[in-house]
Amino acid sequence: MVGVIDRSGLRLIYAEITMITVLFLINFILNSDHLVFLIILSLFSLLFTLLFFRDPPRDIGEGIVSPADGRVDFVGERRIEIFMSPFDCHVNRAPVSGVVEKVVYKKGSFIPAYRRNDFSERNEIFIRNEKGLFRVIQIAGFFARRINCYVKEGDFVEKGQKIGIIKFGSRVVLEIPDGYAFVVKEGEKIKAGRTIAVEA
C-alpha cells in the first residue's frame, strides 16, 4: 500500500486503521451493535483518505508537463490555473527538470479553492533551467489547510518528480517564461506529469 500512497497521508491512515481496529475489538468484547454505525463511518473515512492520498505510478510525458491533476479553469498568456477537487490525485509534480532557485511560503486566507484570488495561503516553487524560470504555486483552499513541499532551494528536480501535495481540495498555478505557449484549454482535465501543457 505504501508504494501507491503519498507519504504525507501515512500517519493519518495508520491512525484511522488503529481506531477502526479498536472499535471492532470493543464491539466484539461487548457483543453489542451500538458501535456498528461508527465503524461504518470510520471505514468510509478511511476509504476517502486512501483515495485522496493515492499516488499511482505515472508515465511522464514529453515536453513541459502539467504540475497537477485537475481541471484547467484559467489560461493566460504565461499562466494557467488548475483546480483540484477532493477526488483528484493531489500529488504535485515538477513541470520541467531544473534547479529549485527558491521556495517562498506566503501566509494568507483560506478561501474556497474554486475561487481564483490572490489572498489564499500559498507556496511558490521557482525552477530554473536553460529554458528559463518556471514558477509552480501551490494554493491552499478552504478545506486545504496544509501545503506540503518536498523540495528546497538548491535541489535539482527531474521532470515529473514529486514536489509536494496540498491536502483536501486546492489549486495549482504554473507560470512559464516568454517564448512558450500553453496548449491546454479552459475546462480541460489534465494529469500531473503526463499532460503536455506547453509548447515552444
Side-chain angles (χ1 to χ4, degrees), residues 58-72 80-84 89 91-96 134-136 158-163 172-174 176 182-184 188-198:
R58 187 66 55 95
D59 293 326
I60 306 305
E62 300 293 330
I64 300 168
V65 295
S66 170
D69 286 22
R71 176 175 52 82
V72 178
I80 60 169
E81 298 193 18
I82 304 158
F83 170 67
M84 297 187 293
C89 178
V91 174
N92 304 143
R93 296 179 180 272
V96 293
F134 297 80
R135 181 165 70 151
V136 178
E158 297 284 355
K159 182 179 66 174
Q161 178 180 328
K162 291 183 286 186
I163 57 174
V172 171
V173 174
L174 172 61
I176 57 176
F182 289 107
V183 294
V184 293
E188 186 176 345
K189 291 284 289 183
I190 59 179
K191 295 289 186 181
R194 181 184 299 168
T195 304
I196 300 171
V198 180

Side-chain angles (χ1 to χ4, degrees), residues 61-128:
E62 300 293 330
I64 300 168
V65 295
S66 170
D69 286 22
R71 176 175 52 82
V72 178
D73 66 358
F74 174 80
V75 180
E77 185 176 348
R78 295 180 54 233
R79 175 186 180 105
I80 60 169
E81 298 193 18
I82 304 158
F83 170 67
M84 297 187 293
S85 79
F87 300 102
D88 288 310
C89 178
H90 275 58
V91 174
N92 304 143
R93 296 179 180 272
V96 293
S97 297
V99 175
V100 177
E101 190 167 272
K102 61 180 176 177
V103 177
V104 180
Y105 172 76
K106 296 181 179 179
K107 277 193 164 293
S109 304
F110 293 99
I111 299 169
Y114 59 82
R115 290 169 52 187
R116 296 182 59 239
N117 71 89
D118 295 319
F119 308 106
S120 290
E121 186 160 316
R122 63 193 58 217
N123 189 66
E124 302 180 0
I125 303 170
F126 295 78
I127 303 173
R128 184 177 292 278

Side-chain angles (χ1 to χ4, degrees), residues 8-9 11 17 19-20 22 38 47 68 80 88 109 114 118 125 134 142 144 149 164-166 174-175 182 185 191:
S8 64
R11 181 179 297 180
I17 291 173
M19 183 179 69
I20 292 169
V22 170
L38 187 56
L47 287 174
I80 60 169
D88 288 310
S109 304
Y114 59 82
D118 295 319
I125 303 170
F134 297 80
F142 182 74
C149 180
I165 188 171
I166 319 170
L174 172 61
E175 293 183 351
F182 289 107
K185 296 179 170 47
K191 295 289 186 181

Side-chain angles (χ1 to χ4, degrees), residues 5-6 8-13 16 44-54 83-92 110-114 139-148 164-172:
I5 298 295
D6 186 78
S8 64
L10 293 179
R11 181 179 297 180
L12 177 59
I13 290 167
E16 289 180 333
F44 273 110
S45 176
L46 175 61
L47 287 174
F48 177 78
T49 303
L50 291 169
L51 175 69
F52 179 84
F53 286 103
R54 70 192 184 277
F83 170 67
M84 297 187 293
S85 79
F87 300 102
D88 288 310
C89 178
H90 275 58
V91 174
N92 304 143
F110 293 99
I111 299 169
Y114 59 82
I139 301 175
F142 182 74
F143 294 107
R145 295 301 176 122
R146 184 164 184 181
I147 299 172
N148 288 73
I165 188 171
I166 319 170
K167 296 181 178 179
F168 302 117
S170 44
R171 174 179 294 272
V172 171

Side-chain angles (χ1 to χ4, degrees), residues 20-46:
I20 292 169
T21 302
V22 170
L23 288 173
F24 265 112
L25 288 173
I26 293 174
N27 195 56
F28 177 77
I29 292 169
L30 296 179
N31 194 23
S32 170
D33 293 330
H34 295 303
L35 295 177
V36 171
F37 181 70
L38 187 56
I39 291 171
I40 292 173
L41 281 180
S42 299
L43 286 170
F44 273 110
S45 176
L46 175 61

